[in-house]
Amino acid sequence: ADGVLTSYALESVQERGLLFVSPGMQVYNGMIIGESTKDHDVVVNPVRAKKATNVRTVLKDDQTKLIPPRIVQLEDAIGYVQPGELIEVTPKSIRLRKLILDSEARRSAERGGKNAYN
């Protein structure tokens, strides 16, 4: 999903692996936001916001605890990039993204059996 990352959504995503992003960053569909501990890609929604309610809590565990993200340098990105992925270099940042941004189209291309990334 496109939008601004929320710490609420990243808290559940960080359990699945190492993050490359921090709350408040702008993201888009197909952007790689972290490295999964599994051997396959995991599609997540990092812009999900916490539902607001009128009930106030006194619990201390309501605060999110995020591990600082791994800052991706160009050399790291070159070593990390896999087939079907691209490195996006702008004056302000270095990002990793999928060649096919839409997850459904990417899944269809992989199932098609033809060489999807060439």
Side-chain angles (χ1 to χ4, degrees), residues 4-5 7 10 21 30 50 62 65 67 71 74 76 93-94 96 101 103 105:
V4 178
L5 290 170
S7 56
L10 286 179
V21 294
K50 186 174 184 178
D62 241 8
K65 296 175 181 76
I67 299 170
I71 306 301
L74 185 58
D76 299 332
S93 64
I94 297 172
L96 296 167
L101 296 178
S103 62

Side-chain angles (χ1 to χ4, degrees), residues 87-106:
I87 301 170
E88 191 176 275
V89 180
T90 66
K92 293 185 179 182
S93 64
I94 297 172
R95 292 180 278 228
L96 296 167
R97 59 164 271 204
K98 294 292 186 177
L99 178 63
I100 302 172
L101 296 178
D102 184 51
S103 62
E104 293 299 319
R106 192 168 50 244

Side-chain angles (χ1 to χ4, degrees), residues 2-17:
D2 298 348
V4 178
L5 290 170
T6 63
S7 56
Y8 174 73
L10 286 179
E11 187 175 31
S12 63
V13 173
Q14 82 176 352
E15 296 168 0
R16 300 178 184 191

Side-chain angles (χ1 to χ4, degrees), residues 26-82:
Q26 190 74 25
V27 293
Y28 55 87
N29 215 2
M31 184 173 164
I32 299 171
I33 63 165
E35 182 177 5
S36 174
T37 54
K38 302 182 183 205
D39 55 343
H40 65 287
D41 294 340
V42 179
V43 179
V44 295
N45 180 9
V47 297
R48 182 184 57 199
K50 186 174 184 178
K51 303 259 189 256
T53 64
N54 287 334
V55 179
R56 295 183 183 182
T57 63
V58 185
L59 302 175
K60 296 283 185 193
D61 61 356
D62 241 8
Q63 299 171 352
T64 57
K65 296 175 181 76
L66 294 175
I67 299 170
R70 177 176 163 209
I71 306 301
V72 179
Q73 301 296 327
L74 185 58
E75 294 82 14
D76 299 332
I78 291 170
Y80 180 81
V81 73
Q82 300 292 316

